[in-house]
Amino acid sequence: MSAVNLYSEAEQLEKKLNGASLDTRLALQPSVTKVIERMRQQGVHVPSRLRRLDAALCEDAMEARFDNLPV
């Protein structure tokens, strides 16, 4: 996949995530991580906004996992 295609895919995911519910954010988190991994593997520059978005989504996913643990 070319760099242009990777950037395009990342932008589409960003648009879907803009104002999305927590459930949608959790569902799309693996896709964002995979796009970033592919960018890194191909030596494509990963914009800082994508790294921040991925970090925030991973944090949401971790919090969601702990919210369901019995006390």
Side-chain angles (χ1 to χ4, degrees):
M1 185 174 280
S2 72
V4 173
N5 290 346
L6 288 170
Y7 281 122
S8 176
E9 186 176 344
E11 287 176 2
Q12 289 175 356
L13 287 168
E14 282 182 294
K15 287 177 185 177
K16 289 179 185 178
L17 288 163
N18 190 16
S21 68
L22 179 59
D23 289 338
T24 302
R25 291 174 63 83
L26 293 174
L28 291 176
Q29 182 270 323
S31 298
V32 173
T33 300
K34 286 178 187 174
V35 168
I36 290 173
E37 286 176 8
R38 287 196 313 246
M39 291 172 100
R40 287 183 178 140
Q41 288 172 351
Q42 295 185 15
V44 175
H45 171 72
V46 180
S48 61
R49 74 178 194 284
L50 284 179
R51 291 192 306 265
R52 287 191 305 267
L53 176 62
D54 187 44
L57 291 171
C58 288
E59 186 176 316
D60 288 346
M62 290 301 291
E63 286 181 18
R65 286 184 194 146
F66 286 109
D67 285 345
N68 295 326
L69 289 177
V71 179

